[in-house]
C-alpha cells in the first residue's frame, strides 16, 4: 500500500510579512512549522503503516510538499516520525501559486512518487547513464537537484524499452485546511485532477479493507459514516489524531535519508499551470488590519445610550 501525505509549511506566528508587489505571504522559512492539520494527516498515515506492519504487510508513506528549500527540514522530521520517504517541489516557478496551481504542482509530485515506486529497473540504466558523464546533471534533473530513489529520469530503460509509467497511490491524505489560508480546497482539487473519490473533514478512520476505506466525517447535518473505493483522497480534521514525537533513533535514521528536491522542469510541470502564471485567482490587496484601542464611554440613561449607539452606527455608514 502506498500513502502520500501532502503537507504545507506555515508561519509559526500570527505575525507575518506580506510582499507589497505579489501580495503574498513572505515565506523565509525561519519560523515555519508543519500545518497542524497536515501533521494530523501524517499521524493517520503512520498509524495505518503500523497496523499493516503488525499484519505482516508492507506500507509506504511518502511526505510531499511544495515550498522553499528550508521546507526540507520539516519533511525530514516527517521521516524521523516514521515516513518512508519525502519529496519537495521547490522552484521560483511555483511561487505565488493559488490553490489550483498548488494542486497541479502537487499532482506532478504525486506522479513522480509513483514513478519512483515502479522505476527500479529503469533507475539502474539511468545510473549508468549518469556515471558515463561525470560532473554533468542527468537528463531532466537540474544542477543541484535530487532524483527520487528508484525513479526513472529518462523515458527508456537500459534496453531501450519504455520506462514504467507512474502508479497513483492508494490513498492521498491532506489536512482539512491550512491555518494560513483556510481555503480547504487542495484535497478536493487533487481528487478532481486524479478523478478519485474525496471525503472531507474526516474525524475518524474506521477501516481500510478489501480495496475500500470507511470513515466518519463532519457534514452540515452532523457526523456521517461513508465508505469509498480506493484510491481516494481524504482531508482530515486536526483532532483526528495526536501526532507522535520523533524518537532519537528516528532522528538519527532520518539524517541519512535523502529528501528528493525537484524543480518545475524536473517535475515536468507545465509553466502555464504553475505559480502566478497558472493561478486564475489573484490577491488584489493584502494588509495587516490597523488596530485602535480608542473607545467612547456611553453615559446617561439606557435610551440615551441606545440613541448614541445608533448615531455612531450611522456615522460609520452601517
Amino acid at each position: 500500500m502506498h500513502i502520500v501525505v501532502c503537507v504545507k509549511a506555515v508561519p509559526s506566528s500570527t505575525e507575518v510579512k506580506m510582499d507589497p508587489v505579489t501580495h503574498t505571504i513572505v515565506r523565509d522559512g525561519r519560523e515555519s512549522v508543519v500545518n497542524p492539520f497536515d501533521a494530523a494527516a501524517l499521524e493517520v498515515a503512520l498509524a495505518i503503516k503500523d497496523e499493516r506492519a503488525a499484519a505482516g504487510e508492507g506500507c509506504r508513506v511518502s511526505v510531499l510538499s511544495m515550498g522553499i528549500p528550508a521546507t526540507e527540514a520539516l519533511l525530514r522530521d516527517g521521516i524521523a516520525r516514521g515516513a518512508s520517504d519525502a519529496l519537495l517541489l521547490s522552484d521560483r516557478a511555483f511561487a505565488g501559486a493559488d490553490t489550483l496551481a498548488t494542486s497541479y504542482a502537487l499532482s506532478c509530485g504525486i506522479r513522480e512518487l509513483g514513478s519512483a515506486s515502479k522505476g527500479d529497473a529503469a533507475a539502474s540504466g539511468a545510473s549508468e547513464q549518469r556515471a558515463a558523464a561525470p560532473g554533468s546533471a542527468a537528463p531532466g534533473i537540474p544542477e543541484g537537484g535530487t532524483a527520487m530513489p528508484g525513479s526513472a529520469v529518462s523515458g527508456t530503460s537500459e534496453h531501450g524499452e519504455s520506462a514504467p509509467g507512474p502508479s497513483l497511490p492508494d490513498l492521498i491524505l491532506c489536512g482539512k485546511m491550512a491555518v494560513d489560508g483556510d481555503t480547504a480546497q487542495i484535497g478536493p482539487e487533487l481528487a478532481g485532477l486524479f478523478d478519485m473519490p474525496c471525503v472531507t473533514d474526516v474525524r475518524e478512520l474506521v477501516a481500510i479493507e478489501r480495496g475500500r476505506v470507511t470513515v466518519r466525517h463532519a457534514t452540515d447535518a452532523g457526523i456521517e459514516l461513508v465508505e469509498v473505493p480506493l484510491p481516494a483522497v481524504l482531508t482530515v480534521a486536526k483532532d483526528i489524531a495526536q501526532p507522535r514525537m520523533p524518537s532519537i533513533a528516528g532522528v538519527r535514521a532520518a539524517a541519512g535519508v535523502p529528501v528528493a528536491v525537484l524543480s518545475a522542469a524536473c517535475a515536468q510541470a507545465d509553466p502555464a499551470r504553475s505559480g502566478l502564471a497558472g493561478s486564475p485567482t489573484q490577491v488584489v490587496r493584502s494588509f495587516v488590519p490597523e488596530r485602535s484601542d480608542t473607545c467612547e464611554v456611553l453615559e446617561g440613561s439606557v435610551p440615551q445610550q441606545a440613541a448614541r449607539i445608533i448615531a455612531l452606527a450611522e456615522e460609520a455608514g452601517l
Side-chain angles (χ1 to χ4, degrees), residues 20-301:
V21 177
T22 63
H23 306 294
T24 57
I25 296 176
V26 175
R27 303 183 187 275
D28 53 18
R30 287 179 294 180
E31 296 184 0
S32 295
V33 297
V34 172
N35 176 46
F37 289 85
D38 301 339
L42 176 59
E43 177 57 36
V44 171
L46 296 177
I48 295 173
K49 181 180 179 182
D50 292 343
E51 292 177 2
R52 295 272 167 164
E57 302 174 5
C59 181
R60 173 188 172 202
V61 174
S62 301
V63 189
L64 171 66
S65 186
M66 183 188 81
I68 61 175
T71 308
E72 179 180 339
L74 300 180
L75 294 181
R76 192 173 299 282
D77 178 74
I79 297 175
R81 293 171 191 263
S84 309
D85 52 67
L87 172 62
L88 173 62
L89 299 165
S90 187
D91 195 312
R92 289 187 178 275
F94 293 132
D98 68 356
T99 59
L100 187 65
T102 298
S103 298
Y104 169 70
L106 291 174
S107 73
C108 293
I110 290 171
R111 293 184 188 280
E112 177 65 23
L113 288 166
S115 296
S117 66
K118 296 185 67 176
D120 290 340
S124 63
S127 299
E128 292 178 8
Q129 195 172 37
R130 288 196 298 270
S136 63
I141 298 183
E143 191 170 341
T146 306
M148 284 297 298
S151 64
V153 294
S154 62
T156 58
S157 68
E158 60 181 320
H159 302 295
E161 300 173 351
S162 296
S167 62
L168 295 181
D170 301 286
L171 191 62
I172 299 175
L173 293 177
C174 306
K176 171 188 172 183
M177 63 185 187
V179 295
D180 64 345
D182 294 359
T183 62
Q185 294 174 353
I186 297 298
E189 287 178 352
L190 281 173
L193 287 169
F194 290 124
D195 195 22
M196 293 180 182
C198 180
V199 185
T200 60
D201 202 0
V202 173
R203 303 301 178 89
E204 179 187 359
L205 195 151
V206 179
I208 299 182
E209 55 187 2
R210 297 187 297 275
R212 306 184 74 83
V213 58
T214 304
V215 300
R216 287 188 173 90
H217 76 124
T219 70
D220 293 339
I223 301 298
E224 181 180 33
L225 182 67
V226 177
E227 182 183 82
V228 295
L230 297 176
V233 179
L234 304 180
T235 73
V236 305
K238 185 170 62 175
D239 57 357
I240 190 175
Q242 179 64 40
R244 68 189 67 185
M245 295 299 294
S247 64
I248 295 178
V251 172
R252 295 181 62 182
V257 177
V259 174
V261 181
L262 294 186
S263 67
C266 193
Q268 300 182 17
D270 183 354
R273 299 178 65 183
S274 305
L276 284 173
S279 301
T281 56
Q282 300 288 331
V283 179
V284 177
R285 179 171 176 251
S286 297
F287 60 95
V288 177
E290 296 181 2
R291 300 183 182 275
S292 173
D293 56 3
T294 59
C295 65
E296 178 179 336
V297 178
L298 302 182
E299 300 178 347
S301 64

